[in-house]
């Protein structure tokens, strides 16, 4: 039985932005036509190996066990609803001057998967990175989600928990962020299904 394929344009994907200058790119490119940014530029900015992408990277224990239990329940439910998805939460102190959005892009793309199963989920990974040094955050998604979730949706998800993050309550903030993200993913799925059903090759 032949496998059905659909053109990417069918899903009206949002523009992908450059991790360096954050301007919209004309399509899949090896180098940003606006600022010249490429994967080697990114790797050159980080002189250490990226950590394995666990569900939680939280060296300072900003998430107590009670918060992790609540988040585990929420993330397990989300990953069960969308089995290809993997959520990663990283709360760290980055070196002064580090661009948190660029660091998130580097971590998601340069961290080496531990096995084939982890590799298979990486394109649909979501990394929520919080830098305690600069009090800033970023949300990075794998290329499998790029056609469906835009920067505005990711920004809205982070803003959903901003008040809690500012107060140092990462557990409550993440619950809000994940709720907004879940809504965006459900809406993206609804639009994709509708587009496929209307598609006539």
């Amino acid at each position: 039985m032949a496998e059905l394929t659909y053109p990417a344009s069918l899903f009206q994907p949002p523009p992908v932005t450059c991790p360096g200058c954050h301007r919209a790119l004309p399509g899949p490119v090896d180098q940003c036509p606006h600022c010249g940014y490429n994967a080697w530029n990114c790797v050159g900015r980080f002189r250490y190996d990226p950590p394995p992408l666990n569900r939680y990277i939280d060296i300072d224990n900003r998430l107590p066990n009670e918060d992790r239990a609540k988040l585990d329940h929420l993330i397990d439910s989300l990953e069960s609803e969308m089995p290809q998805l993997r959520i990663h939460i990283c709360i760290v102190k980055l070196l002064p001057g580090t661009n948190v959005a660029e660091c998130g892009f580097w971590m998601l793309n340069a961290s080496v998967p531990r096995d084939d199963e982890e590799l298979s989920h990486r394109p649909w990974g979501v990394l929520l990175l919080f830098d305690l040094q600069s009090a800033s955050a970023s949300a990075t998604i794998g290329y499998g989600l790029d056609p469906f979730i835009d920067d505005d949706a990711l920004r809205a998800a982070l803003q959903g928990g901003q008040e809690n993050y500012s107060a140092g309550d990462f557990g409550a903030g993440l619950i809000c962020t994940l709720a907004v993200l879940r809504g965006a993913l459900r809406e993206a799925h609804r639009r994709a299904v509708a587009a496929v059903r209307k598609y006539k090759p």
Side-chain angles (χ1 to χ4, degrees):
M1 181 175 171
E3 181 179 338
L4 290 175
T5 58
Y6 302 94
S9 59
L10 177 68
F11 306 107
Q12 299 179 332
V16 176
T17 56
C18 170
C21 67
H22 307 292
R23 294 174 66 181
L25 298 174
V29 293
D30 293 328
Q31 181 169 307
C32 176
H34 308 296
C35 69
Y37 188 90
N38 59 35
W40 294 112
N41 296 145
C42 182
V43 170
R45 282 176 166 80
F46 300 94
R47 301 293 183 179
Y48 43 93
D49 293 331
L53 288 184
N54 301 319
R55 174 173 286 185
Y56 304 108
I57 302 173
D58 180 21
I59 297 172
D60 290 339
N61 293 315
R62 295 301 179 110
L63 292 172
N65 290 337
E66 182 180 351
D67 285 350
R68 287 200 185 197
K70 293 176 184 176
L71 288 167
D72 280 338
H73 178 74
L74 182 58
I75 295 171
D76 287 343
S77 173
L78 181 53
E79 292 181 354
S80 176
E81 182 178 344
M82 302 175 186
Q84 65 271 58
L85 197 68
R86 286 297 177 271
I87 304 293
H88 310 284
I89 296 166
C90 181
I91 305 173
V92 292
K93 289 181 181 176
L94 298 175
L95 293 174
T98 301
N99 182 305
V100 67
E102 185 179 28
C103 186
F105 174 80
W106 169 73
M107 285 180 63
L108 191 62
N109 288 280
S111 178
V112 179
R114 283 164 286 207
D115 52 38
D116 289 343
E117 181 180 3
E118 188 174 327
L119 177 64
S120 72
H121 290 290
R122 187 59 60 84
W124 292 274
V126 178
L127 172 61
L128 302 173
L129 173 61
F130 300 88
D131 176 19
L132 300 174
Q133 179 74 34
S134 63
S136 57
S138 70
T140 308
I141 55 175
Y143 65 83
L145 290 173
D146 270 338
F148 306 104
I149 301 293
D150 61 16
D151 288 348
D152 288 342
L154 296 174
R155 194 174 298 111
L158 288 172
Q159 288 173 344
Q162 185 172 3
E163 186 175 338
N164 298 110
Y165 299 136
S166 297
D169 190 345
F170 286 93
L174 284 163
I175 287 172
C176 295
T177 288
L178 290 171
V180 176
L181 181 62
R182 187 174 205 157
L185 288 166
R186 283 175 170 172
E187 175 59 20
H189 180 262
R190 185 197 64 76
R191 292 195 309 267
V193 169
V196 166
R197 286 174 176 166
K198 291 179 182 177
Y199 178 64
K200 292 184 174 60

